[in-house]
Protein backbone atom coordinates (compact mmCIF):
# COMPACT_ATOMS: atom_id res chain seq x y z
CA UNK A 1 0.00 0.00 0.00
CA UNK A 2 1.32 3.41 -0.93
CA UNK A 3 1.98 5.76 1.96
CA UNK A 4 0.76 9.30 1.26
CA UNK A 5 0.96 12.76 2.81
CA UNK A 6 -0.44 16.20 2.03
CA UNK A 7 1.73 19.14 0.96
CA UNK A 8 1.21 22.84 0.26
CA UNK A 9 2.22 23.93 -3.23
CA UNK A 10 2.32 27.34 -4.88
CA UNK A 11 0.87 27.03 -8.39
CA UNK A 12 0.81 30.19 -10.46
CA UNK A 13 2.12 33.13 -8.40
CA UNK A 14 -0.49 34.24 -5.88
CA UNK A 15 -2.29 30.90 -5.71
CA UNK A 16 -1.74 27.90 -3.45
CA UNK A 17 -3.19 24.43 -3.12
CA UNK A 18 -2.95 21.28 -1.01
CA UNK A 19 -1.71 18.25 -2.98
CA UNK A 20 -1.47 14.60 -2.07
CA UNK A 21 2.06 13.22 -2.37
CA UNK A 22 3.38 9.66 -2.24
CA UNK A 23 6.04 8.98 0.40
CA UNK A 24 8.88 6.55 -0.18
CA UNK A 25 9.74 3.99 2.48
CA UNK A 26 12.62 5.38 4.56
CA UNK A 27 16.01 3.82 3.91
CA UNK A 28 18.30 2.73 6.73
CA UNK A 29 19.84 6.19 7.06
CA UNK A 30 16.55 8.11 6.68
CA UNK A 31 13.72 9.18 8.97
CA UNK A 32 9.97 9.46 8.55
CA UNK A 33 8.77 12.62 10.29
CA UNK A 34 5.19 13.54 11.20
CA UNK A 35 4.81 17.30 11.24
CA UNK A 36 3.63 19.00 14.43
CA UNK A 37 4.18 22.62 13.43
CA UNK A 38 5.60 24.66 10.59
CA UNK A 39 6.19 28.37 10.33
CA UNK A 40 5.55 30.85 7.53
CA UNK A 41 8.42 33.32 7.30
CA UNK A 42 6.38 36.29 6.12
CA UNK A 43 9.13 38.12 4.23
CA UNK A 44 10.72 35.39 2.12
CA UNK A 45 7.74 33.08 1.73
CA UNK A 46 5.29 35.78 0.70
CA UNK A 47 7.85 37.05 -1.83
CA UNK A 48 8.01 33.52 -3.26
CA UNK A 49 4.21 33.30 -3.18
CA UNK A 50 3.94 36.53 -5.21
CA UNK A 51 6.46 35.24 -7.75
CA UNK A 52 9.00 37.92 -6.85
CA UNK A 53 12.23 35.87 -6.94
CA UNK A 54 14.47 37.31 -9.70
CA UNK A 55 15.39 34.82 -12.41
CA UNK A 56 19.10 35.20 -11.71
CA UNK A 57 18.47 34.20 -8.06
CA UNK A 58 16.40 31.08 -8.71
CA UNK A 59 19.27 28.73 -7.83
CA UNK A 60 20.44 30.76 -4.83
CA UNK A 61 16.96 30.97 -3.32
CA UNK A 62 16.18 27.25 -3.48
CA UNK A 63 15.17 25.80 -0.12
CA UNK A 64 16.92 22.54 0.91
CA UNK A 65 13.92 20.27 0.15
CA UNK A 66 12.15 22.45 -2.38
CA UNK A 67 10.33 20.71 -5.22
CA UNK A 68 9.53 22.47 -8.49
CA UNK A 69 11.04 25.71 -9.69
CA UNK A 70 10.36 29.42 -9.36
CA UNK A 71 8.03 31.07 -10.04
CA UNK A 72 5.92 27.89 -9.80
CA UNK A 73 4.56 25.35 -9.36
CA UNK A 74 6.84 25.07 -6.33
CA UNK A 75 6.76 23.47 -2.88
CA UNK A 76 8.62 25.92 -0.66
CA UNK A 77 9.28 26.41 3.04
CA UNK A 78 11.96 25.77 5.66
CA UNK A 79 10.55 25.97 9.19
CA UNK A 80 9.24 22.54 10.17
CA UNK A 81 9.06 20.78 13.53
CA UNK A 82 7.89 17.20 13.79
CA UNK A 83 8.31 13.88 15.56
CA UNK A 84 10.32 10.97 14.14
CA UNK A 85 8.02 8.00 13.56
CA UNK A 86 10.53 5.72 11.81
CA UNK A 87 14.30 5.81 11.67
CA UNK A 88 17.45 5.18 13.72
CA UNK A 89 16.81 4.23 17.35
CA UNK A 90 18.58 7.37 18.61
CA UNK A 91 16.02 9.58 16.83
CA UNK A 92 12.87 7.47 17.15
CA UNK A 93 10.18 9.44 18.98
CA UNK A 94 12.33 12.59 19.16
CA UNK A 95 11.00 16.04 18.33
CA UNK A 96 13.16 17.47 15.54
CA UNK A 97 13.57 20.60 13.45
CA UNK A 98 14.04 20.34 9.69
CA UNK A 99 14.36 22.82 6.83
CA UNK A 100 11.35 21.26 5.12
CA UNK A 101 8.29 22.79 3.40
CA UNK A 102 4.72 22.62 4.71
CA UNK A 103 3.79 18.93 4.55
CA UNK A 104 2.01 16.53 6.92
CA UNK A 105 4.70 13.81 6.78
CA UNK A 106 8.01 13.53 4.97
CA UNK A 107 11.10 11.34 4.53
CA UNK A 108 14.56 12.90 4.71
CA UNK A 109 18.12 11.79 5.55
CA UNK A 110 18.62 11.44 9.29
CA UNK A 111 21.40 14.01 9.00
CA UNK A 112 18.84 16.63 7.86
CA UNK A 113 17.00 16.75 11.19
CA UNK A 114 18.19 18.38 14.42
CA UNK A 115 16.78 17.23 17.77
CA UNK A 116 14.93 19.97 19.65
CA UNK A 117 16.26 20.42 23.20
CA UNK A 118 13.85 19.41 25.96
CA UNK A 119 13.95 23.00 27.21
CA UNK A 120 12.37 24.26 23.95
CA UNK A 121 8.63 23.71 23.27
CA UNK A 122 7.94 22.26 19.83
CA UNK A 123 5.76 25.23 18.88
CA UNK A 124 8.57 27.69 19.59
CA UNK A 125 11.13 25.60 17.73
CA UNK A 126 9.65 26.70 14.36
CA UNK A 127 11.62 29.92 14.94
CA UNK A 128 14.94 28.05 14.69
CA UNK A 129 15.58 28.96 11.06
CA UNK A 130 15.07 32.67 11.72
CA UNK A 131 17.12 32.70 14.92
CA UNK A 132 19.83 30.91 12.92
CA UNK A 133 19.78 33.84 10.47
CA UNK A 134 20.18 36.21 13.43
CA UNK A 135 23.10 34.18 14.80
CA UNK A 136 24.86 34.34 11.44
CA UNK A 137 24.22 38.09 11.20
CA UNK A 138 25.80 38.70 14.59
CA UNK A 139 28.77 36.55 13.67
CA UNK A 140 29.17 38.83 10.63
CA UNK A 141 28.58 42.06 12.57
CA UNK A 142 30.74 41.13 15.60
CA UNK A 143 29.21 43.69 18.00
CA UNK A 144 31.34 44.78 20.94
CA UNK A 145 30.58 45.42 24.59
CA UNK A 146 29.21 48.94 24.95
CA UNK A 147 28.18 49.37 21.31
CA UNK A 148 25.25 51.61 20.39
CA UNK A 149 23.07 49.56 18.04
CA UNK A 150 19.82 50.05 16.17
CA UNK A 151 17.85 47.32 14.41
CA UNK A 152 15.78 48.95 11.68
CA UNK A 153 12.83 46.77 10.73
CA UNK A 154 10.77 44.94 13.32
CA UNK A 155 9.91 41.90 11.24
CA UNK A 156 10.74 38.32 12.11
CA UNK A 157 14.47 38.59 11.37
CA UNK A 158 14.90 42.06 12.86
CA UNK A 159 13.16 41.07 16.09
CA UNK A 160 15.29 37.91 16.34
CA UNK A 161 18.46 39.99 15.97
CA UNK A 162 17.24 42.50 18.56
CA UNK A 163 16.40 39.70 20.98
CA UNK A 164 19.92 38.27 20.78
CA UNK A 165 21.57 41.69 20.98
CA UNK A 166 19.57 42.40 24.13
CA UNK A 167 21.69 39.76 25.89
CA UNK A 168 24.99 41.52 25.14
CA UNK A 169 26.46 43.33 28.19
CA UNK A 170 26.53 47.12 28.14
CA UNK A 171 24.95 47.38 24.68
CA UNK A 172 22.32 50.00 23.83
CA UNK A 173 19.79 48.27 21.59
CA UNK A 174 16.84 49.98 19.96
CA UNK A 175 14.33 48.34 17.63
CA UNK A 176 13.19 50.86 15.01
CA UNK A 177 9.98 50.37 13.06
CA UNK A 178 7.26 52.49 11.46
CA UNK A 179 4.58 50.35 13.11
CA UNK A 180 4.02 51.56 16.70
CA UNK A 181 2.53 48.19 17.68
CA UNK A 182 6.04 46.72 17.45
CA UNK A 183 6.77 48.55 20.72
CA UNK A 184 5.02 45.77 22.66
CA UNK A 185 7.17 43.13 20.98
CA UNK A 186 10.33 45.12 21.74
CA UNK A 187 9.26 45.33 25.38
CA UNK A 188 8.68 41.57 25.51
CA UNK A 189 12.17 41.04 24.05
CA UNK A 190 13.74 43.40 26.59
CA UNK A 191 14.98 46.06 24.15
CA UNK A 192 14.11 49.68 23.44
CA UNK A 193 11.80 50.87 20.68
CA UNK A 194 11.46 53.99 18.53
CA UNK A 195 9.64 55.17 15.45
CA UNK A 196 12.10 56.04 12.65
CA UNK A 197 11.96 59.80 13.27
CA UNK A 198 12.68 59.32 16.99
CA UNK A 199 15.49 56.75 16.78
CA UNK A 200 18.73 57.36 18.67
CA UNK A 201 21.70 58.21 16.46
CA UNK A 202 25.48 57.90 16.77
CA UNK A 203 25.18 54.13 16.29
CA UNK A 204 28.30 52.04 15.90
CA UNK A 205 26.20 49.39 14.16
CA UNK A 206 22.80 49.41 12.48
CA UNK A 207 21.27 46.11 11.42
CA UNK A 208 18.81 46.76 8.59
CA UNK A 209 15.95 44.32 8.06
CA UNK A 210 12.97 46.39 6.88
CA UNK A 211 13.35 45.51 3.17
CA UNK A 212 12.50 49.12 2.30
CA UNK A 213 14.48 51.87 0.64
CA UNK A 214 13.37 54.30 3.37
CA UNK A 215 14.58 51.95 6.08
CA UNK A 216 18.03 51.55 4.56
CA UNK A 217 18.33 55.31 4.12
CA UNK A 218 17.39 55.86 7.77
CA UNK A 219 19.88 53.18 8.82
CA UNK A 220 22.69 55.17 7.19
CA UNK A 221 21.51 58.36 8.89
CA UNK A 222 21.71 56.73 12.32
CA UNK A 223 25.38 55.79 12.05
CA UNK A 224 28.28 57.44 13.79
CA UNK A 225 31.26 58.24 11.52
CA UNK A 226 32.90 54.99 10.31
CA UNK A 227 29.85 53.03 11.48
CA UNK A 228 28.47 49.97 9.67
CA UNK A 229 25.07 49.01 8.32
CA UNK A 230 24.64 45.25 8.19
CA UNK A 231 22.09 44.60 5.44
CA UNK A 232 19.83 41.60 6.04
CA UNK A 233 16.90 42.60 3.81
CA UNK A 234 15.97 40.61 0.73
CA UNK A 235 14.47 42.86 -1.94
CA UNK A 236 13.67 40.22 -4.54
CA UNK A 237 13.25 41.87 -7.94
CA UNK A 238 12.84 45.42 -6.58
CA UNK A 239 15.40 48.18 -7.29
CA UNK A 240 16.71 50.27 -4.38
CA UNK A 241 18.08 53.82 -4.47
CA UNK A 242 20.44 55.12 -1.78
CA UNK A 243 21.87 58.55 -0.85
CA UNK A 244 25.51 57.65 -1.44
CA UNK A 245 26.39 61.26 -2.10
CA UNK A 246 25.88 63.73 0.75
CA UNK A 247 28.07 62.67 3.70
CA UNK A 248 28.38 58.98 2.88
CA UNK A 249 32.05 59.19 1.86
CA UNK A 250 33.20 61.93 4.21
CA UNK A 251 31.81 59.98 7.19
CA UNK A 252 33.42 56.77 5.85
CA UNK A 253 30.26 54.70 6.28
CA UNK A 254 30.11 50.99 5.50
CA UNK A 255 27.28 48.85 4.09
CA UNK A 256 27.88 45.12 4.48
CA UNK A 257 25.64 42.25 3.40
CA UNK A 258 24.87 39.12 5.39
CA UNK A 259 23.05 36.03 4.18
CA UNK A 260 22.30 32.79 6.02
CA UNK A 261 23.08 30.63 2.97
CA UNK A 262 26.76 30.72 3.97
CA UNK A 263 28.19 30.33 7.46
CA UNK A 264 29.86 33.60 8.41
CA UNK A 265 33.54 33.65 7.39
CA UNK A 266 34.21 34.98 10.88
CA UNK A 267 33.38 31.49 12.19
CA UNK A 268 35.36 29.23 9.88
CA UNK A 269 35.46 26.54 12.56
CA UNK A 270 31.64 26.27 12.74
CA UNK A 271 29.39 24.18 10.52
CA UNK A 272 25.79 24.65 9.43
CA UNK A 273 24.84 22.01 12.00
CA UNK A 274 26.68 23.90 14.76
CA UNK A 275 24.85 27.10 13.87
CA UNK A 276 21.41 25.49 13.86
CA UNK A 277 22.05 23.66 17.14
CA UNK A 278 23.05 26.97 18.73
CA UNK A 279 19.87 28.63 17.44
CA UNK A 280 17.75 25.87 18.99
CA UNK A 281 19.57 26.24 22.33
CA UNK A 282 18.86 29.99 22.30
CA UNK A 283 15.15 29.28 21.84
CA UNK A 284 14.94 28.15 25.46
CA UNK A 285 14.16 31.82 26.18
CA UNK A 286 10.34 32.16 26.48
CA UNK A 287 10.57 35.84 25.46
CA UNK A 288 10.93 34.64 21.87
CA UNK A 289 7.30 33.49 21.93
CA UNK A 290 6.53 37.13 21.10
CA UNK A 291 7.66 36.44 17.52
CA UNK A 292 4.77 34.03 16.93
CA UNK A 293 1.87 36.32 16.11
CA UNK A 294 -0.72 33.99 14.61
CA UNK A 295 -1.71 30.37 14.18
CA UNK A 296 -3.76 28.42 11.64
CA UNK A 297 -4.46 24.84 10.61
CA UNK A 298 -2.48 23.31 7.75
CA UNK A 299 -5.59 23.01 5.59
CA UNK A 300 -6.03 26.81 5.75
CA UNK A 301 -2.73 27.58 3.98
CA UNK A 302 -4.25 28.22 0.51
CA UNK A 303 -6.45 30.94 2.02
CA UNK A 304 -3.82 32.17 4.49
CA UNK A 305 -0.91 32.96 2.13
CA UNK A 306 -2.77 35.57 0.03
CA UNK A 307 -3.75 37.39 3.24
CA UNK A 308 -0.17 37.33 4.55
CA UNK A 309 1.20 38.47 1.18
CA UNK A 310 -1.23 41.41 0.98
CA UNK A 311 -0.49 42.53 4.53
CA UNK A 312 -4.09 41.89 5.64
CA UNK A 313 -2.58 39.72 8.39
CA UNK A 314 0.39 41.72 9.80
CA UNK A 315 2.29 38.68 11.04
CA UNK A 316 5.86 38.09 12.14
CA UNK A 317 5.95 34.29 12.21
CA UNK A 318 2.60 32.70 11.48
CA UNK A 319 2.54 29.20 12.91
CA UNK A 320 0.86 26.31 11.09
CA UNK A 321 -0.71 23.59 13.22
CA UNK A 322 -0.92 19.95 12.10
CA UNK A 323 -3.27 17.25 13.31
CA UNK A 324 -2.69 13.63 12.38
CA UNK A 325 -3.84 13.95 8.76
CA UNK A 326 -2.21 11.93 6.01
Amino acid sequence: MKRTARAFWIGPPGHGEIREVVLPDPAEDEVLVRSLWSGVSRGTETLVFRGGVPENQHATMRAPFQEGDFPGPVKYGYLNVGVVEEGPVALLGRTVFCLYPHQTRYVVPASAVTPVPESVPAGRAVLAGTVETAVNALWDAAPLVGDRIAVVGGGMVGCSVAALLGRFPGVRVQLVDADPTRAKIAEALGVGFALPADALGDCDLVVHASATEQGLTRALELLTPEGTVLELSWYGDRKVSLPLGEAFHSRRLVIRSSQVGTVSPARVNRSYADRLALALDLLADPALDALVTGESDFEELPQLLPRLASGEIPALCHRVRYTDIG
Side-chain angles (χ1 to χ4, degrees):
M1 180 182 296
K2 291 183 178 179
R3 185 158 30 189
T4 61
R6 291 168 64 75
F8 175 71
W9 279 74
I10 299 166
H15 299 275
E17 62 182 13
I18 304 292
R19 296 184 182 181
E20 186 175 277
V21 297
V22 176
L23 295 179
D25 292 327
E28 185 177 347
D29 58 348
E30 293 182 324
V31 290
L32 170 66
V33 179
R34 172 172 55 86
S35 295
L36 300 173
W37 303 94
S38 60
V40 179
S41 177
R42 184 173 179 270
T44 304
E45 288 197 56
T46 58
L47 185 146
V48 171
F49 184 73
R50 294 192 303 266
V53 179
E55 187 173 352
N56 63 6
Q57 292 297 302
H58 283 188
T60 302
M61 283 291 293
R62 287 191 68 87
F65 293 101
Q66 173 180 324
E67 292 184 37
D69 296 303
F70 303 121
V74 62
K75 184 175 75 174
Y76 192 84
Y78 48 83
L79 302 174
N80 189 291
V81 176
V83 61
V84 175
E85 293 190 322
E86 296 180 27
V89 173
L91 290 172
L92 201 59
R94 293 290 302 272
T95 299
V96 294
F97 176 85
C98 185
L99 296 167
Y100 204 87
H102 309 283
Q103 184 166 309
T104 56
R105 280 183 171 86
Y106 53 91
V107 174
V108 293
S111 59
V113 301
T114 302
V116 174
E118 292 184 5
S119 58
V120 179
R124 190 187 305 152
V126 297
L127 298 168
T130 307
V131 173
E132 183 183 12
T133 299
V135 167
N136 204 62
L138 296 184
W139 283 352
D140 279 335
L144 300 175
V145 173
D147 272 358
R148 299 155 297 182
I149 304 175
V151 180
V152 176
M156 197 172 165
V157 171
C159 285
S160 297
V161 171
L164 299 190
L165 283 170
R167 304 177 181 195
F168 279 63
V171 168
R172 185 191 81 189
V173 184
Q174 192 170 57
L175 181 66
V176 180
D177 197 276
D179 182 355
T181 66
R182 292 289 192 261
K184 290 183 178 180
I185 294 173
E187 181 180 5
L189 298 176
V191 299
F193 176 81
L195 296 171
D198 302 324
L200 298 172
D202 294 323
C203 292
D204 304 288
L205 169 69
V206 178
V207 179
H208 179 241
S210 81
T212 67
E213 186 175 301
Q214 296 87 348
L216 184 50
T217 297
R218 186 62 178 138
L220 288 168
E221 293 170 347
L222 294 175
L223 288 175
T224 192
E226 303 204 15
T228 296
V229 168
L230 188 77
E231 177 59 277
L232 291 181
S233 297
W234 170 244
Y235 298 93
D237 54 4
R238 288 180 292 133
K239 305 296 183 183
V240 178
S241 297
L242 284 178
L244 298 185
E246 302 179 2
F248 178 78
H249 287 84
S250 63
R251 297 175 64 218
R252 298 176 60 84
L253 304 182
V254 175
I255 302 174
R256 181 179 180 185
S257 65
S258 179
Q259 212 278 336
V260 73
T262 302
V263 175
S264 170
R267 294 293 182 271
V268 293
N269 59 335
R270 302 292 183 91
S271 67
Y272 289 97
D274 293 334
R275 190 178 64 185
L276 180 55
L278 173 59
L280 280 163
D281 285 340
L282 291 169
L283 280 166
D285 185 353
L288 289 163
D289 283 331
L291 303 187
V292 178
T293 54
E295 190 173 301
S296 300
D297 289 329
F298 168 75
E299 298 288 347
E300 298 177 72
L301 274 171
Q303 294 76 43
L304 173 69
L305 260 293
R307 299 175 67 199
L308 287 172
S310 69
E312 179 184 345
I313 301 177
L316 293 178
C317 177
H318 194 96
R319 192 162 57 193
V320 178
R321 179 176 55 243
Y322 294 76
T323 54
D324 195 5
I325 47 174

